[in-house]
Amino acid sequence: MQVAVVWFRNSLRIHDNPVLSWAYESENVDLILPIYIFDEKIHLRSTQTMAEHRLRFQFDCVENLHQNLKNKFDLDLHIFSGDCLEVFESLREQLQPFEVILLHEYSTNPRDRKQSETIENKLISTNQTWSAKSFPSSQTILDIEAIVGSSGYKPPKSMKDMIRLFKTEFGDYENIIFETNDPNPSSLKRSQGLSVNSKYQVSLDKIQPLLTASGYFLGGENEAISRLEKKVTSQHDYVKNFSKPKSISTNVQGNPMEPTTTGLSPYISTGCLSIRRLWNSCSEIQQSSEHTVPPVSLHGQIMFREMFYLLSRSVENWDQDSGNSQCKEIEWGELDNALLDSWDSGQTGFPLIDAMMRQLNATGWMHHLGRHAVSCFLTRGQLWQNWTHGRDIFERKLIDSDWALNNGNWLWLAGVAPFSMPYYRIYNPCPDSKSSLNVETKDAEFIRYWVPELSEFPSKYIFEPHLAPLHIQESVGCLIGKDYPNPIIDRKESRKKNLQSFKLSLEKLR
Ligand SMILES: Cc1cc2nc3c(=O)[nH]c(=O)nc-3n(C[C@H](O)[C@H](O)[C@H](O)COP(=O)(O)OP(=O)(O)OC[C@H]3O[C@@H](n4cnc5c(N)ncnc54)[C@H](O)[C@@H]3O)c2cc1C
């Protein structure tokens, strides 16, 4: 009897899931054991690597996967908590009488690769009854491993490079519909589920009470599919006219939680939504008429994502400040915990920065241009702090946290990478209606919502409330310096000083 252990790691879905399809349809598989391993300790609603919203979102996804596997395939997802190898060792004991094949999807992430290597060396190669089958990653459209390993591969620097690559790989890439791999539960059912008992097994009922954070974004494949329908497949004009640089960073007017972009990133990064499914939905809509093109279109956004996956796999020390070919080693200031804490908690005295950071803290998400504003502010703009400090905070808090993308975008915004925007283009953290941060300034609804201390401020002063005359501050019941912080830094002076320091640092590197 052969048991297929289907290891869910980065694709928490049943649609377009080649691993599940293979297990379900393979003639040699008699029993299927779907598993998910959580290898961190939960303490105070969070873990070392996941803040509360990210953790809660992750478990929403696992719960939904559990339901879908049960309802559609009559399979029980077994959830384990503990060190991966120990979990597999306990499974090995349970599965003694069987021949076992471990099915998993390849991942470019170094942590996952290390995990797979350990399992291969310590479990698979030492047990005759165990074998493993690794499937190409379905996290990306390109076969990252094959491309970075091909002769003539050069790390892409821009969208032009990506367009060239997509043309070479797929020809008429804008119209292509990729094949997806959807297991068909109504097909002749070959495999039965299997149950095991292990001391590492946990029930969702025990974990959920530990995760009380309620967020705007609910995790899971069902939510992913309904958001895809709501924002993409039913919105032909929206897709055809999608232009990222024009999207408003302060969310939808009337709903300060809802992104003006698709808001699909949390579902893509947890693998609740297949990236091929999103690409295909856009291709189908675009085929019928004129549409925007990369870099500004939705396909363009996906191609940026692919670019960072390529770079993260091929550039050594991708997440480091030094020894990283994509990072100029700028002499950033000493870590200043007081400055970093003000930024992190949304208490800088700059309402746009604070509103964005408070949204991150309350929901785990922020618009792309909001991320531009706060990362520029923390690094080359105002606070002159090393980009890796902000990167770490984003990594823990973002519900769309993705190692390849987070590092890539921080490198981009810090001005240190070959693909960065010019370092001297610094965003004004107190924007007006013409700012390329695309902030809604007339009603400033977003600021009023996320920084309620300022809710009664006239729009004229709301982005720089410390400049409001005292009688206005008194009349709206918010004294700057008492009810809301004074700016933690002089934005103009710091900008000037940082530009000079950046230039000097670059000269030293020459
Ligand atoms: C400092 C900083 C850190 C970031 N960290 C992350 C991260 O950890 N995880 C993450 O998914 N995105 C990250 N981004 C990229 C981007 O901000 C988000 O992907 C985007 O805001 C998600 O919103 P959306 O789904 O509505 O995007 P849409 O505009 O609707 O785009 C659709 C999809 O394309 C991809 N995409 C869009 N923009 C980018 C981009 N610049 N780089 C790579 N992929 C992109 C995402 O998967 C996104 O869901 C970061 C950006 C910055 C500036």
Side-chain angles (χ1 to χ4, degrees):
M1 273 245 191
Q2 189 179 57
V3 176
V5 175
V6 179
W7 187 7
F8 284 89
R9 260 195 310 190
N10 300 309
S11 296
L12 302 179
R13 62 170 185 269
I14 57 176
H15 74 275
D16 192 17
N17 189 326
V19 182
L20 183 61
S21 290
W22 190 90
Y24 203 71
E25 280 151 27
S26 166
E27 302 215 352
N28 300 327
V29 172
D30 303 295
L31 299 163
I32 297 182
L33 179 68
I35 65 164
Y36 172 80
I37 303 173
F38 184 70
D39 61 357
E40 293 191 54
K41 289 243 169 329
I42 300 177
H43 177 63
L44 295 176
R45 301 197 295 273
S46 60
T47 72
Q48 204 185 342
T49 65
M50 295 191 192
E52 59 177 337
H53 285 287
R54 184 172 171 207
L55 184 63
R56 190 262 316 149
F57 189 88
Q58 181 78 9
F59 272 96
D60 283 355
C61 300
V62 175
E63 186 187 21
N64 191 230
L65 177 65
H66 184 270
Q67 284 164 0
N68 286 340
L69 282 169
K70 187 75 199 160
N71 296 343
K72 297 184 181 152
F73 296 89
D74 197 22
L75 292 173
D76 284 312
L77 179 69
H78 287 58
I79 302 162
F80 301 92
S81 172
D83 172 76
C84 260
L85 185 61
E86 287 174 19
V87 170
F88 276 112
E89 283 296 349
S90 82
L91 278 179
R92 189 181 56 80
E93 281 162 27
Q94 291 273 314
L95 299 175
Q96 281 285 1
F98 301 110
E99 195 189 316
V100 180
I101 181 162
L102 172 63
L103 306 177
H104 60 102
E105 201 177 294
Y106 178 79
S107 160
T108 53
N109 184 308
R111 188 171 176 268
D112 295 340
R113 281 193 292 132
K114 195 157 172 245
Q115 215 174 41
S116 299
E117 210 179 282
T118 309
I119 302 300
E120 179 64 44
N121 293 340
K122 303 224 163 121
L123 180 90
I124 307 293
S125 57
T126 57
N127 283 285
Q128 283 185 346
T129 50
W130 278 64
S131 61
K133 184 171 166 61
S134 171
F135 290 73
S137 171
S138 66
Q139 280 178 292
T140 48
I141 284 172
L142 296 166
D143 184 340
I144 302 294
E145 212 55 32
I147 291 182
V148 301
S150 62
S151 63
Y153 165 77
K154 279 202 200 112
K157 286 196 186 68
S158 63
M159 186 52 74
K160 268 195 192 140
D161 293 344
M162 290 307 292
I163 290 176
R164 210 172 298 125
L165 183 60
F166 265 62
K167 274 190 182 149
T168 313
E169 291 293 308
F170 309 118
D172 181 13
Y173 67 95
E174 280 276 57
N175 287 313
I176 198 162
I177 305 276
F178 293 101
E179 207 176 298
T180 55
N181 215 318
D182 299 288
N184 179 5
S186 64
S187 72
L188 185 64
K189 192 171 164 183
R190 296 188 196 285
S191 314
Q192 302 290 314
L194 168 76
S195 266
V196 292
N197 280 314
S198 148
K199 65 174 179 178
Y200 296 101
Q201 214 165 323
V202 286
S203 101
L204 278 170
D205 305 346
K206 291 238 168 71
I207 294 179
Q208 251 133 8
L210 303 173
L211 314 170
T212 49
S214 61
Y216 182 67
F217 293 91
L218 301 177
E221 182 175 6
N222 294 6
E223 284 288 326
I225 300 297
S226 69
R227 179 164 278 273
L228 178 71
E229 274 163 20
K230 184 173 126 199
K231 299 286 282 208
V232 178
T233 45
S234 67
Q235 301 292 333
H236 287 212
D237 287 344
Y238 174 79
V239 173
K240 285 189 274 189
N241 298 321
F242 191 91
S243 178
K244 185 66 165 274
K246 291 191 188 149
S247 63
I248 303 294
S249 61
T250 42
N251 295 347
V252 167
Q253 191 84 356
N255 184 356
M257 301 272 199
E258 178 57 33
T260 55
T261 47
T262 64
L264 286 171
S265 53
Y267 304 99
I268 297 170
S269 59
T270 47
C272 289
L273 179 65
S274 143
I275 195 70
R276 291 188 284 238
R277 167 88 70 108
L278 173 59
W279 180 281
N280 291 351
S281 301
C282 298
S283 296
E284 278 160 12
I285 292 170
Q286 293 181 167
Q287 269 167 5
S288 55
S289 57
E290 283 199 356
H291 55 83
T292 53
V293 294
V296 303
S297 63
L298 267 173
H299 274 171
Q301 306 317 298
I302 298 174
M303 288 161 79
F304 274 128
R305 183 174 179 273
E306 301 282 317
M307 173 169 130
F308 288 131
Y309 267 85
L310 285 171
L311 289 170
S312 69
R313 182 66 187 98
S314 55
V315 172
E316 249 183 78
N317 302 316
W318 174 243
D319 57 357
Q320 304 289 319
D321 189 33
S322 62
N324 175 349
S325 63
Q326 305 291 302
C327 177
K328 293 177 195 120
E329 255 182 89
I330 298 300
E331 289 175 1
W332 299 108
E334 285 287 300
L335 168 63
D336 184 326
N337 278 316
L339 288 181
L340 192 65
D341 286 350
S342 310
W343 179 83
D344 185 13
S345 57
Q347 295 289 344
T348 64
F350 290 88
L352 180 70
I353 303 298
D354 293 344
M356 290 292 172
M357 292 305 290
R358 291 183 194 190
Q359 183 193 8
L360 173 66
N361 290 329
T363 68
W365 194 87
M366 191 194 295
H367 184 278
H368 184 59
L369 291 173
R371 300 182 201 204
H372 274 226
V374 302
S375 54
C376 179
F377 182 85
L378 181 73
T379 55
R380 66 198 157 88
Q382 269 67 44
L383 302 186
W384 199 245
Q385 295 287 293
N386 193 311
W387 60 273
T388 55
H389 304 316
R391 183 273 317 272
D392 290 344
I393 289 172
F394 266 35
E395 189 167 299
R396 273 196 90 232
K397 291 189 173 177
L398 281 173
I399 53 174
D400 63 22
S401 181
D402 180 312
W403 183 79
L405 309 190
N406 197 32
N407 281 292
N409 278 286
W410 273 95
L411 287 162
W412 186 334
L413 265 297
V416 294
F419 46 82
S420 285
M421 60 207 308
Y423 75 90
Y424 45 83
R425 272 194 50 206
I426 289 178
Y427 292 112
N428 181 353
C430 307
D432 60 19
S433 62
K434 295 194 192 83
S435 164
S436 57
L437 291 171
N438 297 347
V439 174
E440 186 280 301
T441 53
K442 190 168 155 279
D443 299 325
E445 198 185 83
F446 183 79
I447 306 293
R448 293 177 202 285
Y449 183 84
W450 290 109
V451 190
E453 305 93 295
L454 303 176
S455 62
E456 300 300 322
F457 253 78
S459 294
K460 182 177 172 195
Y461 294 110
I462 203 164
F463 289 95
E464 261 180 309
H466 68 288
L467 298 182
L470 191 59
H471 72 270
I472 292 189
Q473 298 183 26
E474 281 168 349
S475 72
V476 298
C478 175
L479 296 179
I480 304 305
K482 178 170 170 276
D483 303 311
Y484 178 72
N486 268 308
I488 54 169
I489 201 159
D490 182 312
R491 70 176 167 89
K492 290 182 184 158
E493 265 179 31
S494 54
R495 177 182 186 279
K496 205 166 137 198
K497 190 164 161 247
N498 295 347
L499 276 173
Q500 195 57 23
S501 305
F502 208 108
K503 202 167 155 222
L504 276 175
S505 243
L506 286 182
E507 278 165 12
K508 281 196 203 163
L509 290 172
R510 273 195 202 120

